[in-house]
Amino acid sequence: MNGPASSGQEEPGQDPGESIHQEATATDHGQVYQAGRDLTVNKTVNTVNTMNIHLPPPVPPAGQIVEGDIPRRPPAFQPRPGLLDALKAQVRQEGAAVIDAVTGTPGVGKSILAASYAWACQQAGWPLIVWINAQHPDQILTGLAGLARRLKLHDPDDDARTAALKARDWLAAADQPGLLVFDNATAVDDVRPWCPATGEVQILITTRNRAFHTLFTAIDVGVFPPEQSVALLHQRTGDTTPGAEQVATELGHLPLALGQAGAYIHRRRLTYSAYLGLLRDYQLDRYLPHTAEGYPHGTAAAILLSVDQAEQTIPGAREMLELLAVLAESGVSRTILYGTTDPHLDPADTEDIDQVLADLVDTSLISFSDDGTTVLMHRLTSRVLRERAHHTALPGDGNGGSRLDQVLAGAVELLHRFNTHIPDGAATWAARPAVDMLAEQTAALHDAAATFGDPPHRLLALRAWCGQYLNQLADLARAIPLLQQTLADMERLLGGDHPDTLTSRNNLAGAYESAGDVSRAIPLYEQTLADYERLLDDDHPHISNSRNNLASAYYAAGDLARAIQLYEQTLADRERLLGGDHPDTLLSRNNLASAYYAAGDLGRAISMHEQTLADRERVLGGDQPDTLLSRNNLASAYYAAGDLGRAIPMHEQTLADRERVLGGDHPETLTSRNNLANAYASAGDLRRAIPLFEQTLADRERLLGGDHPATFTSRNNLAGAFRTAGDPGRAIPLYEQALSDCERVLGGDHPSTLTSRNNLAAAFRAAGDVGRAVRLYEQTLADCERVLGGDHPDTLISRNNLAYGYFAAGDLGRAIPLLEQTLADRERLLGGDQPDTLLSRNNLASAYQDAGELGPAIRLLEQTLADRERLLGGDHPDTLTSRNNLAGAYYAAGDLGRAIPLYEQTLAGCKRVLGGDHPTTRVIRDNLRTVRERGLPMDTTAGQRKRAGKPERNAPCDCGSGMKYKRCHGAPPAK
């Protein structure tokens, strides 16, 4: 006769944003303190990354969508019917995307040809026309993200790449005609990944790079034929007298130069022969002494003639032209030129700028986008202006300064004014378009400055801000390279000890931590703290900030001993310097309590959370968000201590308060709803837990997007609830989706990916597919050891779980050594009283018992029960589990005199603490009934039979209680 149910072996592993031991618990531990608006990143104790989701085929847009800065029709526009006919001829209805590469030298009118095709498509009623500047990869991402917003695919917390992928997938499934233009593309590999292979969208790529011809159909654009050149000059000048042919020939029939010449002749009321004389006499090398040979003489001279005339007749023209020349060649939003993100400016405040722009449009030196919001300057014009400024010395400057240095400094100050209107912290997500503008323009300034020298210090500060914003938006694919480059620039130009260099190093470390790469974050934090301690007074706030950040990285790496030590030091310093009631002190106390919580020191964690909550209620008020956060964290600590009687009402109160104060859609409200659902699940009340999990997931998908870390947590938690309910058919697909998203977006080595793989393995194991579970567990352990190291807490969890997989497969020969190793490592690293250590001791005892080694099993179980009673109290769920397991071991040893009273005591405790209907209570009730009905076990040599190759298979109870039942003993799994 087989014995009653004993404990389960598995630890679910750390889910992103969750505590290590609770698969379905999400606790937010507040933000660590950072200095004010000084480029320092905002960080949280636990950081995770975003993921993408696969999109279904799109619903066609309602009405026509025109997205992007399509150039406006220029004066005296010359259609090119032959080229347009070639583009139209490419359209076919085969379900495959049509991709054409429009190539040609600078100034031949590639962009205007593409724009004229876009105008024709718009007039024909095509549902979608999109124009994307493609000179840099970031511009492509930004443009496609803008399309995702127009298609209502974009979620507030999507990073640019995630949103761009959604737009591309939509285009690939489009079943109505559309046009997508990638303008001024430079590299094939930058554009190719964003060109859908299917769908009814036609794609035009304008480029000087003929390498595009190897992949896409070529549409080559040349200069105007002579008759069209003459027609343009006649229309633009209104002069049909002889001489236009000679001017066109001198300009090489280049459309850009012809437009400049026509505007100049018209404004100056010149004859063609007079203009030709000015053109031939222009001293080009006066402004371009070293680069004149790099331009067609006539084109450069025509541009500078127009520039000279505009600067002489239009107030403010020179400053505006030079400013536009150093900003992004893809165009400059008027809001940038206004220096604000305010969409409701009084026209009187921008009248001077608007007048200068309107006058310059008449010169053909600049133009507007089709909707008038973006100012465009041809790239060749920008280049000529930058070269002229570089070779123009400042009057009276004996230091060799150039006009370009002055122009760059003015542009930087303009962008600093614009930056003051972008909110920092949690509000940044609402200003994403402004962040994209700032990032694009600062990149252009950096490129311009680097071409002629070193970027100025103030520009590096702007770049640092852009990196911070992108990190806050979880756009790490752009944030990390930008922060790396910024740190390298600061170290080279300012030195390693400059305050901005130290801040930049901290910011890069924060981005690495956000990406889950603590192996690169920690050395940077350590270096930054050491430098601050060397350079600043002991009590300087930067030292406590840096120490706090390093503690958070240790926390994320699982090095809780060092994290706690630093948190304790930071709290002591802040209490001494700021006082016990200062918000930063309260935040430090919260962070230290959270570290105690993670280390299993629930007594100190609860005491400190209680103190922090009381202080925040007194100092900040009961409805202040930090106070609500403390209430949430205290409820989570009660939960971890097994005190559901206090945890559930507090979670209910926090949820109600957050709904009232913050609103039902606020992210912290959604966190509270998730946490309450988890508490219900732990109480065995899946009837209330699952609908809350489902609601939270739906709300997060709607408000935050499918790729937000919180949405990922909700998906995992709902899967865990289904698994607890014994419904693997709904749990496994959710776990598989989570793993697929992590692998695709974060990579196979990211901690979130490793956690997802562990959770999927657990679901397969619960479904009885032990073979697949073991393979996933083995892969996860190997990856954890390689990526995190053998002593990381997640590696120890993974080793424990693989042992449990072997155990479930009846392979005790491989399970027991792994469990012994895990226990030894946890005792060495965490100490004998840490909850994970106690769990390992329990698990090893269970394996010994199944192997027939009852003496060692009973000794370990007695020790575990005594420790849990001492540390957690007699009513903690883990203590009740230990009592049940020890009773089971006594029963297996034939000692009914000790087994039955212990079962009775355990059942009474479960009824009192968990309630009569809790799954754990039902399992123990069944165990007690089995023992009373069957008496002494008939066969007490089960271990010998296992070693003889006839194992008794043990399956985990589907109720999710952490108990285990033996199939033949008559206790069915609780549903």
Side-chain angles (χ1 to χ4, degrees):
M1 183 179 296
N2 297 311
S6 60
S7 72
Q9 310 296 309
E10 182 182 18
E11 301 169 35
Q14 182 178 10
D15 198 54
E18 319 260 334
S19 66
I20 286 180
H21 311 298
Q22 311 297 333
E23 181 182 6
T25 301
T27 58
D28 49 354
H29 295 305
Q31 291 189 332
V32 298
Y33 174 82
Q34 294 292 333
R37 197 171 170 86
D38 67 348
L39 313 183
T40 309
V41 298
N42 291 324
K43 297 169 57 291
T44 55
V45 171
N46 292 314
T47 55
V48 286
N49 282 299
T50 58
M51 290 141 293
N52 295 320
I53 59 172
H54 179 70
L55 293 174
V59 176
Q64 190 178 67
I65 291 179
V66 180
E67 173 66 22
D69 297 324
I70 303 173
R72 186 174 284 180
R73 187 185 303 267
F77 168 69
Q78 298 298 304
R80 308 182 84 164
L83 293 173
L84 285 174
D85 289 343
L87 291 173
K88 293 175 183 176
Q90 300 297 319
V91 178
R92 56 185 182 270
Q93 302 295 326
E94 298 177 0
V98 177
I99 306 176
D100 300 306
V102 180
T103 56
T105 57
V108 296
K110 301 181 294 295
S111 295
I112 289 297
L113 173 66
S116 66
Y117 191 61
W119 304 330
C121 293
Q122 184 177 7
Q123 188 174 14
W126 285 23
L128 184 70
I129 298 100
V130 184
W131 187 279
I132 292 176
N133 297 298
Q135 187 173 6
H136 298 293
D138 279 359
Q139 292 174 322
I140 297 174
L141 292 178
T142 300
L144 286 170
L147 173 60
R149 280 190 286 271
R150 292 294 302 276
L151 294 170
K152 302 188 185 306
L153 305 174
H154 183 277
D155 294 297
D157 289 306
D158 280 350
D159 62 19
R161 181 176 179 82
T162 299
L165 286 168
K166 290 180 178 180
R168 185 199 63 187
D169 292 346
W170 192 98
L171 293 168
D175 57 3
Q176 293 193 33
L179 176 66
L180 171 60
V181 178
F182 290 108
D183 186 40
N184 194 39
T186 55
V188 174
D189 289 340
D190 290 345
V191 178
R192 179 170 50 187
W194 303 105
C195 293
T198 61
E200 298 300 326
V201 175
Q202 185 175 6
I203 300 169
L204 300 187
I205 304 168
T206 71
T207 179
R208 287 177 282 176
N209 184 358
R210 292 182 176 272
F212 280 88
H213 289 183
T214 62
L215 292 176
F216 309 118
T217 303
I219 304 291
D220 206 29
V221 182
V223 298
F224 278 158
E227 63 275 12
Q228 201 164 23
S229 298
V230 172
L232 187 152
L233 288 172
H234 284 172
Q235 293 176 32
R236 188 70 180 89
T237 64
D239 181 1
T240 59
T241 61
E245 296 86 351
Q246 289 80 6
V247 171
T249 300
E250 186 72 19
L251 296 175
H253 302 285
L254 192 70
L256 172 67
L258 291 166
Q260 299 286 346
Y264 188 91
I265 292 168
H266 175 71
R267 288 177 67 86
R268 295 287 298 272
R269 302 295 191 269
L270 297 176
T271 64
Y272 290 120
S273 60
Y275 180 80
L276 192 60
L278 290 172
L279 193 65
R280 289 172 173 171
D281 293 341
Y282 195 89
Q283 297 178 8
L284 188 62
D285 56 2
R286 170 183 162 198
Y287 294 121
L288 311 176
H290 304 297
T291 57
E293 296 179 359
Y295 304 107
H297 182 280
T299 300
I303 291 171
L304 288 174
L305 273 174
S306 296
V307 168
D308 288 346
Q309 191 265 340
E311 291 176 348
Q312 292 165 12
T313 60
I314 302 172
R318 181 171 189 176
E319 291 75 13
M320 181 60 71
L321 288 171
E322 290 177 330
L323 173 64
L324 294 171
V326 297
L327 292 174
E329 293 179 345
S330 58
V332 183
S333 169
R334 289 194 191 221
T335 60
I336 289 285
L337 300 177
Y338 299 155
T340 178
T341 61
D342 185 359
H344 305 296
L345 285 175
D346 186 335
D349 295 336
T350 64
E351 182 178 1
D352 292 343
I353 294 174
D354 291 335
Q355 185 61 56
V356 173
L357 294 174
D359 290 342
L360 289 174
V361 167
D362 290 341
T363 69
S364 292
L365 288 167
I366 67 171
S367 62
F368 288 131
S369 62
D370 201 35
D371 62 2
T373 62
T374 302
V375 183
L376 305 171
M377 176 182 281
H378 194 279
R379 295 165 184 85
L380 187 53
T381 304
S382 297
R383 185 178 174 191
V384 169
L385 285 168
R386 289 196 301 271
E387 291 284 357
R388 185 191 71 162
H390 176 59
H391 291 105
T392 302
L394 291 173
D397 189 338
N399 297 321
S402 71
R403 174 78 180 175
L404 182 63
D405 297 328
Q406 189 177 64
V407 172
L408 288 170
V412 168
E413 292 310 310
L414 174 66
L415 294 183
H416 269 288
R417 291 201 303 274
F418 182 79
N419 182 46
T420 61
H421 296 275
I422 299 178
D424 189 21
T428 302
W429 68 268
R432 181 184 289 274
V435 171
D436 288 337
M437 289 182 200
L438 183 65
E440 181 179 27
Q441 300 304 331
T442 54
L445 287 181
H446 187 272
D447 289 346
T451 300
F452 300 104
D454 289 324
H457 180 194
R458 292 276 287 168
L459 176 56
L460 297 182
L462 272 178
R463 300 268 283 169
W465 268 112
C466 289
Q468 175 183 359
Y469 292 141
L470 292 172
N471 186 21
Q472 291 169 349
L473 294 171
D475 198 344
L476 298 171
R478 290 199 291 165
I480 288 176
L482 175 54
L483 291 169
Q484 288 171 330
Q485 184 180 35
T486 304
L487 176 59
D489 285 342
M490 287 185 171
E491 288 178 328
R492 176 171 54 86
L493 299 174
L494 305 178
D497 288 346
H498 191 280
D500 286 355
T501 303
L502 299 180
T503 297
S504 187
R505 190 175 296 126
N506 174 82
N507 291 353
L508 178 57
Y512 285 147
E513 187 180 351
S514 296
D517 192 352
V518 290
S519 63
R520 287 202 287 180
I522 286 174
L524 286 179
Y525 278 137
E526 290 175 331
Q527 180 183 354
T528 305
L529 176 58
D531 290 341
Y532 275 136
E533 290 177 330
R534 174 173 53 85
L535 296 168
L536 302 175
D537 293 336
D538 291 343
D539 291 340
H540 195 285
H542 285 351
I543 292 178
S544 61
N545 296 345
S546 187
R547 189 175 292 128
N548 184 80
N549 291 350
L550 178 57
S552 77
Y554 286 148
Y555 181 106
D559 191 345
L560 296 176
R562 286 201 284 183
I564 287 172
Q565 181 182 3
L566 285 178
Y567 277 139
E568 289 175 334
Q569 184 178 355
T570 305
L571 176 58
D573 289 343
R574 285 175 170 168
E575 287 178 328
R576 175 173 54 85
L577 297 169
L578 304 175
D581 288 344
H582 191 281
D584 296 343
T585 306
L586 299 178
L587 188 54
S588 276
R589 192 173 296 126
N590 172 83
N591 290 347
L592 178 57
S594 299
Y596 287 149
Y597 172 102
D601 191 346
L602 296 177
R604 283 203 284 184
I606 289 173
S607 174
M608 192 162 282
H609 275 313
E610 288 174 334
Q611 179 186 354
T612 307
L613 175 58
D615 289 342
R616 280 178 164 167
E617 288 177 331
R618 174 175 52 82
V619 175
L620 305 175
D623 286 344
Q624 205 270 351
D626 286 349
T627 304
L628 300 179
L629 178 63
S630 277
R631 191 172 295 126
N632 171 83
N633 290 351
L634 177 57
S636 297
Y638 287 149
Y639 167 90
D643 191 348
L644 296 177
R646 286 199 286 181
I648 289 177
M650 187 165 284
H651 275 313
E652 291 172 333
Q653 178 189 354
T654 307
L655 174 58
D657 289 342
R658 281 177 164 169
E659 287 177 331
R660 174 175 52 81
V661 174
L662 304 176
D665 287 344
H666 193 281
E668 291 181 11
T669 305
L670 301 183
T671 296
S672 276
R673 191 172 294 126
N674 173 83
N675 291 351
L676 177 58
N678 175 70
Y680 286 151
S682 296
D685 192 349
L686 294 174
R687 179 183 57 83
R688 286 200 288 179
I690 288 178
L692 272 184
F693 279 135
E694 290 174 328
Q695 179 187 353
T696 307
L697 175 57
D699 288 344
R700 282 174 165 167
E701 287 179 330
R702 172 175 57 87
L703 297 164
L704 305 177
D707 306 334
H708 192 279
T711 306
F712 175 73
T713 295
S714 278
R715 191 173 295 120
N716 173 83
N717 290 352
L718 179 58
F722 286 144
R723 177 181 151 201
T724 299
D727 191 350
R730 287 200 285 179
I732 288 175
L734 286 173
Y735 280 134
E736 288 176 328
Q737 180 183 352
L739 176 58
S740 175
D741 287 343
C742 283
E743 288 177 331
R744 175 167 50 87
V745 177
L746 305 177
D749 289 344
H750 192 276
S752 296
T753 306
L754 303 180
T755 295
S756 287
R757 192 173 295 124
N758 171 82
N759 290 348
L760 178 59
F764 282 138
R765 194 272 312 146
D769 192 345
V770 179
R772 278 207 285 182
V774 166
R775 288 191 294 273
L776 283 175
Y777 280 139
E778 289 174 335
Q779 179 185 354
T780 306
L781 176 58
D783 290 341
C784 283
E785 290 178 329
R786 174 175 52 82
V787 175
L788 304 175
D791 287 345
H792 192 280
D794 288 357
T795 304
L796 301 182
I797 289 174
S798 188
R799 189 174 295 126
N800 173 86
N801 291 352
L802 175 58
Y804 182 39
Y806 290 148
F807 182 92
D811 190 350
L812 293 174
R814 288 199 286 181
I816 288 176
L818 277 182
L819 290 170
E820 290 173 333
Q821 178 186 355
T822 306
L823 175 58
D825 289 341
R826 282 177 164 166
E827 288 178 329
R828 171 175 56 87
L829 297 166
L830 306 176
D833 287 346
Q834 208 268 353
D836 290 352
T837 306
L838 301 180
L839 181 60
S840 276
R841 192 174 294 129
N842 171 83
N843 292 349
L844 179 57
S846 182
Y848 283 156
Q849 181 176 341
D850 275 43
E853 303 292 339
L854 292 176
I858 288 173
R859 287 192 294 274
L860 282 177
L861 289 171
E862 289 174 335
Q863 179 184 354
T864 306
L865 175 58
D867 289 341
R868 281 177 166 168
E869 287 178 329
R870 173 174 54 87
L871 297 167
L872 304 176
D875 287 342
H876 191 281
D878 290 351
T879 306
L880 299 175
T881 297
S882 277
R883 197 171 288 127
N884 170 83
N885 294 348
L886 180 57
Y890 287 152
Y891 173 83
D895 191 347
L896 288 180
R898 287 199 287 181
I900 290 177
L902 204 51
Y903 273 133
E904 292 172 335
Q905 180 185 358
T906 307
L907 179 59
C910 285
K911 287 179 178 179
R912 182 176 65 257
V913 175
L914 303 175
D917 291 333
H918 192 279
T920 301
T921 307
R922 292 199 298 266
V923 169
I924 294 172
R925 186 184 292 115
D926 289 338
N927 288 347
L928 179 58
R929 185 179 63 248
T930 298
V931 171
R932 285 173 171 167
E933 290 175 352
R934 299 183 182 179
L936 287 172
M938 296 173 60
D939 178 9
T940 58
T941 61
Q944 295 174 358
R945 294 180 65 227
K946 288 182 184 292
R947 289 193 296 273
K950 300 177 181 179
E952 297 286 343
R953 293 307 254 327
N954 291 287
C957 179
D958 291 331
C959 71
S961 65
M963 298 292 178
K964 183 178 64 181
Y965 74 99
K966 295 193 175 184
R967 281 196 276 266
C968 61
H969 87 313
K975 295 293 186 180

